Structures are given as C-alpha cells and as structure tokens.
Amino acid sequence: MIKVKCSLCNKKAVIELKYANKKLCEKHFTLFYEKRVRRTIVKNSMLRRKDKVAVGVSGGKDSLVLLYLLHKMRYNVEAVLIDEGIKGYRDKTIPYVEKLCKELNIPLHVFSFKEEYGKTLNETVKKRKRPACSYCGVFRRSLLNKAARRINADKLAIGHNLDDETQMILMNFTRSELLRLARAGPVVGIVEDDRFVQRIKPLRECSEKENVLYALLTGIKYSDVECPYAGEAFRSTVRECLNMMEEKHPGTKLGILHSFDKLLPILKEHFQEVGEVNACKVCGEPTSGEICKSCQMKKEIT
Ligand SMILES: [Zn+2]
Ligand SMILES: [Zn+2]
C-alpha cells in the first residue's frame, strides 16, 4: 500500500483537506489548524490580550478543543458549564470537563437550571408546550450570559464550528428569519450593552471533522453522548444537504460562511431599529421587549 504523503513534508498524511487542496501530516495539520483559529480571532477582533474569557463548555469535542486552544494561546480563560439537568446526558459529559480543567489548572464554574429556574430540563419538559430545545436554548443562552457576567468575564467564547454555523445560516435563510441572521456572526449581538457579554466563536471556520482530529492528536478526551432531546428534523436535512455539497464541491461551507460575513454589515444596519435594550420587568436582565424570553418561558412551565 502506498502511503499518502503530506503536501509539505515527507511524513504520512493524516487528513486530506480538499477545499484547501492539501494533504497534511500530524504536525502540519496541527499548525494549519491553530494558525486558522488565531487568524479568525485576529480578523474579527475577538480578543484583546487583557481580556478575561469565559469559555462555555459542554464536554463535547468543540468546546473542549476551544478551551484547550485558548489556554494554549495564553489567554486568561475560565470554564463555565450549564447543567440543564438532563439525565443520562449531562451527568455523563461533566467528568470530561472536570478532567481537562484539572489537567490544565483552569477554574470551572457550574451553573444549573435547577438553581436558576427552579426546575431541571427533565422536570420542565413534563409541562412543556413547545419542543424541549426551545426552552433549553433560551435558558442556556440567558444563563451563559449571566454566568460570564458573574465571573467578570469580558468575553464569552463558544465552540460553534463551521458545520453549526453554516447550518444556522442556511436554516435562517430558508425560513426567512433575517433578524436572527443579523444577530448572528463571528461576534454576536446586534447592540452594545454592558449587560450582554460579547459572544465570540473562534472555531467557526473549523469543521466538525477537523475538530475531531485536533482533539485526537492533542489527546483531549471528550464525550460523544448525544443529547436525548436533540434531533430537530429540519437541521438534519440541512446538515445532509451541506455535507453532500461539500463532498461534491469542496469549499462550499467556507463559501457560505464568507458570503454571510459579507452580508452581515448590511443586515445589521437594516435591523438597527430593533436594537433598543430594556431591563426585563421581572428579572432585570436585558431584553428588547418588556419581559425577557426566559421569564416568559419560565411562566409557561410553572
Ligand atoms: Zn507534513
Ligand atoms: Zn426576565
């Protein structure tokens, strides 16, 4: 059997990156990957050296790779984990987070739905009117923001990868949810407000496959247990469609991401008028209306 050689040296290639027309060995892939993340951070002005960064971790590959890498790049990082209280899922992923934080000596802060909202997600879904992910998404987002604020973080880094990003773009585009798109992007938020900790996505140009390989090569152990509530049908369709296009036309995903980035300033400008921020009348958290989404949902389940 002929071994496939790295495009840059004589070693054996571990991955073929068709979109970049490269085959790379362990060392050159690691360098390529880290350089791209560094470039994403710089290009989008995501971080300043003095920033304290809260990293939202779940125990999956993306968030642990992000934590590891920002720590390796010598940023001041602390991990925040949201425990939704999903039996058979969250309890299985937490040990992976604890292990990596211990190894790298990174402080870990755990915030739970039970403590914040009085109910675990398992308890919430018993009285639900909507899909579990609707509650979870809103509660998680709000709690991550609070968590980052409570530990005095300047930024909140989340592990969204290229696949997550392009799925989100295509889903919102298909549903004509342009306001949602305007609120997305490499640095998230339509308005600047002290109560919102800026969310950044340093891995948005790295595919899921590349994150898996990077975790493997650096020895990061992660959980691959899937959330039992996951599996939105529309997302699966979009994922399959994108994977097929990428396979036949390498570079499709990065192309979609870059086109979106070019449209973003126009979208943001267009939706400017909805950028006003009030304090929620119930909890005081920032919201565009009178009562924040989490408080509305909390009311539904009590
Ligand atoms: Zn090489
Ligand atoms: Zn509220």
Side-chain angles (χ1 to χ4, degrees):
M1 204 173 77
I2 312 156
K3 71 171 183 182
V4 181
K5 266 201 309 189
C6 172
S7 313
L8 300 170
C9 72
N10 268 324
K11 297 229 173 69
K12 186 177 148 255
V14 289
I15 193 168
E16 177 175 14
L17 305 173
K18 281 192 187 145
Y19 65 86
N21 202 14
K22 278 188 175 91
K23 299 179 179 84
L24 297 174
C25 68
E26 278 188 27
K27 183 185 134 201
H28 283 116
F29 169 72
T30 306
L31 288 171
F32 173 86
Y33 180 93
E34 290 176 354
K35 194 173 148 195
R36 182 171 50 203
V37 176
R38 208 170 289 122
R39 220 177 41 210
T40 305
I41 293 172
V42 173
K43 188 170 71 182
N44 298 290
S45 312
M46 287 180 177
L47 291 170
R48 295 164 300 183
R49 269 290 147 203
K50 60 177 174 126
D51 279 343
K52 177 167 172 179
V53 194
V55 181
V57 287
S58 66
K61 58 187 180 319
D62 304 313
S63 62
L64 292 185
V65 163
L66 178 62
L67 184 69
Y68 171 92
L69 201 49
L70 291 180
H71 174 262
K72 190 179 174 187
M73 292 174 176
R74 301 185 171 277
Y75 284 105
N76 175 14
V77 293
E78 295 194 7
V80 290
L81 183 143
I82 307 297
D83 180 1
E84 310 91 340
I86 304 173
K87 269 222 172 75
Y89 168 62
R90 188 53 72 217
D91 45 321
K92 297 248 164 61
T93 75
I94 291 176
Y96 291 90
V97 176
E98 288 172 335
K99 185 172 171 283
L100 188 68
C101 286
K102 210 176 158 200
E103 276 170 23
L104 303 178
N105 204 11
I106 296 170
L108 167 65
H109 309 270
V110 180
F111 296 83
S112 72
F113 276 12
K114 181 84 180 174
E115 242 167 71
E116 278 304 310
Y117 305 110
K119 275 185 177 153
T120 64
L121 192 74
N122 281 151
E123 290 163 350
T124 296
V125 294
K126 284 178 196 150
K127 291 189 73 171
R128 68 172 149 165
K129 291 185 184 134
R130 314 166 193 247
C133 299
S134 315
Y135 295 102
C136 194
V138 168
F139 289 161
R140 274 183 67 84
R141 189 176 286 249
S142 161
L143 192 48
L144 268 174
N145 184 57
K146 268 194 217 172
R149 227 173 44 214
R150 276 184 208 158
I151 67 163
N152 290 314
D154 301 292
K155 302 283 163 59
L156 169 64
I158 47 176
H160 286 204
N161 61 39
L162 179 63
D163 295 84
D164 300 324
E165 286 293 275
T166 49
Q167 284 159 24
M168 176 278 295
I169 294 166
L170 217 55
M171 284 165 76
N172 283 317
F173 211 83
T174 314
R175 291 167 167 161
S176 193
E177 298 258 27
L178 294 183
L179 175 59
R180 278 173 185 257
L181 274 182
R183 286 174 174 166
V187 177
V188 183
I190 198 165
V191 283
E192 282 195 24
D193 189 284
D194 283 351
R195 290 162 294 182
F196 283 122
V197 180
Q198 229 177 23
R199 291 156 69 99
I200 56 166
K201 303 169 178 173
L203 301 188
R204 69 196 290 271
E205 293 182 59
C206 306
S207 73
E208 200 180 317
K209 206 168 97 184
E210 290 163 345
N211 289 351
V212 169
L213 182 60
Y214 186 82
L216 189 83
L217 297 179
T218 45
I220 298 167
K221 298 272 181 295
Y222 60 87
S223 162
D224 47 21
V225 183
E226 273 211 38
C227 177
Y229 297 113
E232 195 190 343
F234 186 48
R235 184 178 281 274
S236 311
T237 310
V238 169
R239 180 191 295 124
E240 277 170 37
C241 169
L242 280 167
N243 286 344
M244 191 187 77
M245 284 173 75
E246 182 68 37
E247 179 64 32
K248 290 192 177 169
H249 306 279
T252 293
K253 289 176 189 172
L254 277 171
I256 291 175
L257 190 76
H258 293 148
S259 295
F260 166 67
D261 287 354
K262 284 179 194 154
L263 281 173
L264 196 57
I266 302 166
L267 283 173
K268 282 203 191 294
E269 206 185 318
H270 180 75
F271 286 105
Q272 225 173 20
E273 73 276 16
V274 291
E276 200 185 321
V277 182
N278 308 311
C280 167
K281 285 193 171 149
V282 182
C283 71
E285 284 296 299
T287 171
S288 54
E290 292 207 329
I291 292 172
C292 78
K293 202 90 199 244
S294 324
C295 285
Q296 289 171 27
M297 287 200 163
K298 227 155 108 180
K299 218 175 152 197
E300 275 185 31
I301 54 162
T302 41

